[in-house]
Amino acid sequence: MPEVVESYTKVIIFQLKSKEYAIPVSQVKAIEKVEHITRVPNTVPFVKGVINLRGVVTPIIDLRTRFDLEPVEYSEQTRIIIVSLDGMEVGLIVDSANDVIDLPDKDIEPQPDIVGAEEAEFITGVVKMDRRLLILIDLYKVLNPEEARENRGEGIS
C-alpha cells in the first residue's frame, strides 16, 4: 500500500479583536513591537505611516482599519508583523501574535460564505482546530496596491 504523505503549511497566528487569523510563515520576515510610526500625508486611512526598521523604510498598515474594525489603543501585546510579498515589505499592526503552528493542508476549508463580515474579501480559507477557528488571510488582497491607488490616488509602496 502506498504511503500517504500529509502536507502542512506553517503559519503565524495573530489576533484582531477576538478572532484568530493566520498567515504563512514563508511570507513573514519579522515580528516587532510597535515603535514610532511617521505619518505620511495623502495615504489611504489604513496606511498608518512608515517606520525605519534596521535602516529600511517600511510602510505600516493597521489591519483593524483595513478590516473596518473599531480602533483600539496599542498595548504591550500589540505587534507589527513584517511581511514580504513579491519583493514588497510591509508591516501589519495586529493586537497580538500568538503562535507558530503547522496546519495540515487537508484541514484548510474554502472561504465560507460570510454575509456582512468586514474581512471576508481578504480570506482564503478557514481551519477548525479543537475549539479554535483560524481565518487564513490573503496578503495579496490585503496589500493590493491597485486598490490603494484607486482609493487615494497613491500606492502603499
Side-chain angles (χ1 to χ4, degrees):
M1 194 166 175
E3 186 179 322
V4 176
V5 178
E6 250 190 281
S7 60
Y8 292 87
T9 301
K10 188 177 285 291
V11 296
I12 289 189
I13 308 297
F14 64 90
Q15 276 197 300
L16 288 174
K17 211 170 173 181
S18 59
K19 295 181 183 175
E20 289 187 300
Y21 298 85
I23 52 177
V25 167
S26 61
Q27 296 174 329
V28 175
K29 302 286 264 186
I31 299 175
E32 306 285 335
K33 287 189 172 191
V34 176
E35 56 181 78
H36 176 73
I37 299 171
T38 303
R39 186 82 182 120
V40 177
N42 299 320
T43 58
V44 290
F46 59 84
V47 176
K48 290 299 163 197
V50 295
I51 61 171
N52 181 348
L53 184 65
R54 294 182 277 286
V56 177
V57 176
T58 305
I60 302 298
I61 292 175
D62 188 318
L63 278 188
R64 277 183 166 267
T65 307
R66 184 71 167 126
F67 291 171
D68 291 326
L69 301 172
E70 73 278 354
V72 295
E73 291 289 321
Y74 298 150
S75 72
E76 192 59 37
Q77 283 73 44
T78 304
R79 294 290 181 265
I80 298 176
I81 301 176
I82 306 297
V83 296
S84 180
L85 202 60
D86 295 340
M88 175 174 58
E89 280 193 20
V90 175
L92 306 173
I93 299 174
V94 300
D95 293 350
S96 64
N98 304 339
D99 297 316
V100 176
I101 60 171
D102 290 316
L103 292 179
D105 290 341
K106 68 176 179 48
D107 291 349
I108 299 173
E109 298 176 17
Q111 173 186 338
D113 293 326
I114 303 174
V115 178
E118 301 88 353
E119 64 279 269
E121 66 183 282
F122 305 113
I123 297 173
T124 60
V126 295
V127 177
K128 295 175 197 142
M129 286 181 39
D130 303 319
R131 295 183 177 165
R132 297 167 82 178
L133 178 67
L134 303 177
I135 302 168
L136 303 177
I137 299 297
D138 182 346
L139 287 179
Y140 284 99
K141 290 184 179 167
V142 171
L143 304 179
N144 183 346
E146 287 76 32
E147 179 187 336
R149 276 191 276 281
E150 287 169 16
N151 285 345
R152 191 60 91 150
E154 296 284 325
I156 58 174
S157 60

